[in-house]
Amino acid sequence: MSTLRFDALKASMNREPVAVTEQPKRSQAFGANVFGFSAMENSLPKSTYKNLLTAIEKNQTINRDIADQIANAMKEWALSKGATHYTHWFQPLTGATAEKHDAFFETTAPGRALERFEGNQLVQQEPDASSFPNGGIRNTFEARGYTAWDPTSPAFIFGTTLCIPTVFVAYTGEALDYKTPLLRALHAVDDAATAVARYFDKNVKKVSASLGWEQEYFLIDKSLAVSRPDLELTGRTLLGHSSAKGQQLDDHYFGTIPSRALSFMRDLETESILLGIPVKTRHNEVAPNQFELAPIFEEANLAVDHNSLLMDLMKKVADRHHFKVLFHEKPFAGVNGSGKHNNWSLSTDTGVNLLAPGKTPMSNLQFLTFFINTIKAVHDNEELLRASIASASNDHRLGANEAPPAIMSVFIGAQLTKVLSELEGVTKGKLSPQEKTDLKLNVVGKIPEILLDNTDRNRTSPFAFTGNKFEFRAVGSTANCANPMTVLNSIVAKQLKEFKKEADVLIDKKGLKKDEAIFNVLREYIKQSRNILFEGNGYGEDWKKEAKKRGLSNNKNTPEALKIKIDPKTIVLYEELGVMNTTEIEARYEIEVEEYIHRIQIEGRVLGDIARNHVIPTAVKYQNILIHNVRGLKDIYGKDFNKYASEQLLLISDISKHIEAINSGVTTMINERKKANIIAESIEKAEAYCKKVKPLFDEIRYSCDKLELLIDDELWPLAKYRELLFTT
Ligand code: ADP
Ligand code: MG
C-alpha cells in the first residue's frame, strides 16, 4: 500500500466518534433558532401578528409599516441569540443555496454605531449576483437581480447569521431561482384543489401540498476521499475496481449504525432540530457506508427549504466528524446509488388529507376524485415529470436495476386496481339512483378496509400510491426538490381545473346531481389513464417493450429528457397556470442543458487527468520493476530465462496493452470533446457529450480498473473501493 494511502487509512481507522451533547427532549429544543409563529407571536404587537398571518394566508403583500415592525422584532430576537449578521437566503439555479452576509452593525456618526435592520432590508435586497446562471434573462448591462422575502418560510439563525428565506428574481420580474415557480405552482394547486374540495365541504378555504422527502447519502472518511480527485471534483468515482465484498450479503441494510456515523447523525439531528427541521428517521441503506435520513412531512415550500438547508448542514457537520458526505446519485459503480423519494399529498385547512380514504362513501368519493385526477395528471404529463428529475448524475441511476426506470408509471396496488376496474365497469351511460347506492356501498364504501390490507409495495415503481400519499421515487439525491414539486403540483393543478370544468358542465347544463357528475367524469378518466398504471416489475425488459406499445416515453438520458421542457404543450401549461412564462421556461431549459454539458466535460477532464497522471505513471513504475526482474532472471538463467519469467513477461505485455488502450482512449475523448465544443446549438452539443464523449469513459475506466488489479498495491496511489466503502 502506498504510504499516502496507508497513512490515510490508518488515520481513518484510528478515529474515535466525535463526542456530541444532545438535548434529552428534542421537542423542547425544536425550532429554538427559528423565528417561527410562536417567536413572532411573542415579539409582535397583536394586530401586526394578525396582519402578517392574513397576508401569508391570502398571498398579500405586506405593507412597509408592518414590515418595519417585523424587521425590528426579528433583529431583537436574532441579537438575543447572538447573531451578528443577516442574509437573504435563496436557491439560485445552481441547485445550491446562496447567501451574502451583511452585519447589523452600522455607523451613525463618527465614532458612533448601532445595530440596525429595517423593513426595507427585510423585504427586498439587491445582491450583486450577476454570476448566477440566468439562461440569458439578465444581460450584463442590466445585471440586476432582486431577492424578496418569502414570509411563508420562517427566518432562522445559522451559525451567527440570521437567514431570511427569499425568492430571487430579475429586474424585469422573471424568476431566477427554484422557489419562485414552486410558490406559483403551489398557489395554482391551492386554487384548483380548493375549488374541487368545496364540492365536498364548503368550509374548505385553502389546500396545501405536503412533501416528505427521504435523503440518501454516503459517508466517506475525509482523508481517504482526499486521495481521489474524482470524488473531490465530481462527487463520484470515475474509476476504481469493485471491492471483492460489496453489498452481496445485504449485511449493511438496516444493520447496526457504525458508531462514527451515528455520532455524525446525532450531531446533525441536534442542529436540524434547532433549525426546525423535524428529522425523524435514520438508518443504514443498501450499499456499504450508505445511509438515509427522513423528516416528518411539511408544507411543500418549507420542506423544500428544509431539504436544501439540511444538505448544507450535512456538509458542515460531516466535516467536523472527518467525513465527506456524498450526495451524488451514483458515487460507486457496482453498488446502489442514492435517491430522494418525494412523498406528496394535498391537505385542506380543515385538516383533511385529500389522498386518504375516509370513513363515509362521500369522503371516499372525495378521495377517489383526487386520487384519479393525480393519476390522470401523471398520465397526460409523464414526459414532463420524467424531465423534472433529469440530470447528468441521475442518468446513472434511472433504469439501472436498483432505481426506478426512466419510464414513468403509477403503481396503486392490487386492491385499488380492482376498485378502479369496478368503478369503470359498474354502469354504462347514466347511473340510476339505485345503482348509485349500490356503487357507494359495494365499492367506494369499502376502500378503508381494503387499504389496510394493501401492504404490497412495489419498490420498482417510480410513482407509487402508498396508502395516503403518492411517492415519487425517481428523484435523485442531489436534486433540489423544488423542480419535481413544481411540475407535480402544476400538472395536478391543471388537471383539477379541467375536472372542475367538466363536472360543472354536467351539473349546470345536463342537470346531473353533483356526485353523479363527479363519478361520470372520473369514470372517463379511468379509461383514459389506464396506460400509465403498471403493477409489474419496473426493472424488467418486458416492461420496456410493453411501455413502448402503450406509447409511454422512455427518455434514457438527460438531453433526450429535457426536450419536453420547451414543448409548446409545456409552455401552454405553465403560462395558463401562471407558473412560468416563455422566457423563464426557455431560460431554465438552456441552463439545464448547459449544466449537463459542463458536468460531462468536467468528468471527462478529471478522468483524463487521473488516467494520464496517476494511473499510467504508476503502471510504468511497476512495469519497470518487472523489467528489472526479468533482466535479472536472464542474467542468472541465460537463454533458459523464459521458463522462469513467463508470468512477468505476460504481465509486462498486459500492462503495455492497457497503457496503450488508456492513452488512445483519452486522446479520442479529447478529440471528441473538441468536436463537441464547436457545436453552436447547445442541445446538439449536449447530445454529442452524451453520445460521443461519455461512452469513452467506460473504455478508459475498463483498462484503469484492470491495471488496479495487476499493479503492486504498494504503488497504487488512489484509495480503493474496499477502503472507501468499508472504513467508518
Ligand atoms: P418508506 O416506506 O418509503 O420508507 P414511510 O411510509 O415510512 O416510507 O414514509 C415515508 C415518508 O412519507 C416520511 O418521511 C413521511 O414524513 C412522509 N409522509 C407521510 N405522510 C405524508 C403526507 N401526507 N404527505 C407527504 N409526505 C408524507
Ligand atoms: Mg420511500
Side-chain angles (χ1 to χ4, degrees), residues 210-212 214 294-297 343-345 353 457 459 469 471:
S210 54
L211 164 64
E214 302 164 52
I296 295 164
F297 67 93
N343 294 274
W344 170 90
S345 187
N353 176 354
R457 292 177 172 194
R459 309 301 292 187
K469 62 191 187 291
E471 184 167 350

Side-chain angles (χ1 to χ4, degrees), residues 346-474:
L346 294 170
S347 51
T348 66
D349 57 347
T350 54
V352 176
N353 176 354
L354 294 166
L355 285 169
K359 293 210 167 55
T360 63
M362 201 55 188
S363 63
N364 277 327
L365 188 57
Q366 170 172 295
F367 158 69
L368 284 171
T369 301
F370 286 91
F371 178 66
I372 294 168
N373 270 291
T374 306
I375 295 171
K376 175 89 162 40
V378 175
H379 172 269
D380 292 359
N381 302 280
E382 45 94 7
E383 215 174 344
L384 188 59
L385 201 60
R386 158 69 181 100
S388 77
I389 47 147
S391 70
S393 49
N394 210 16
D395 279 0
H396 292 280
R397 192 173 150 265
L398 296 182
N401 277 5
E402 62 178 72
I407 308 162
M408 292 296 115
S409 64
V410 182
F411 170 86
I412 58 173
Q415 307 299 337
L416 279 168
T417 303
K418 212 167 126 207
V419 171
L420 293 197
S421 293
E422 280 188 60
L423 278 179
E424 189 185 341
V426 167
T427 43
K428 313 229 169 348
K430 210 175 152 200
L431 286 167
S432 70
Q434 187 50 45
E435 279 171 319
K436 198 172 70 190
T437 317
D438 285 348
L439 170 89
K440 281 179 179 174
L441 291 176
N442 290 340
V443 188
V444 186
K446 280 188 185 159
I447 292 174
E449 301 151 46
I450 286 169
L451 274 186
L452 283 179
D453 311 331
N454 181 25
T455 45
D456 57 329
R457 292 177 172 194
N458 182 340
R459 309 301 292 187
T460 67
S461 174
F463 199 87
F465 184 71
T466 47
N468 58 2
K469 62 191 187 291
F470 279 100
E471 184 167 350
F472 190 14
R473 300 211 188 99

Side-chain angles (χ1 to χ4, degrees), residues 15 18 219-223 226 232 260 264 267 312-325:
R15 273 196 240 289
V18 175
L219 285 178
I220 303 301
D221 188 84
K222 209 163 58 177
S223 48
V226 169
E232 293 293 314
R260 269 184 71 203
F264 157 81
D267 200 358
D312 251 6
L313 193 58
M314 284 174 86
K315 287 183 210 151
K316 294 199 167 104
V317 176
D319 206 51
R320 281 208 291 270
H321 291 251
H322 303 286
F323 281 129
K324 183 177 174 67
V325 58

Side-chain angles (χ1 to χ4, degrees), residues 690-708:
C690 179
K691 300 249 161 73
K692 303 277 185 195
V693 178
K694 202 171 148 245
L696 294 165
F697 293 3
D698 294 337
E699 282 176 36
I700 299 165
R701 176 179 190 147
Y702 176 81
S703 282
C704 290
D705 290 357
K706 284 285 172 212
L707 284 174
E708 185 185 319

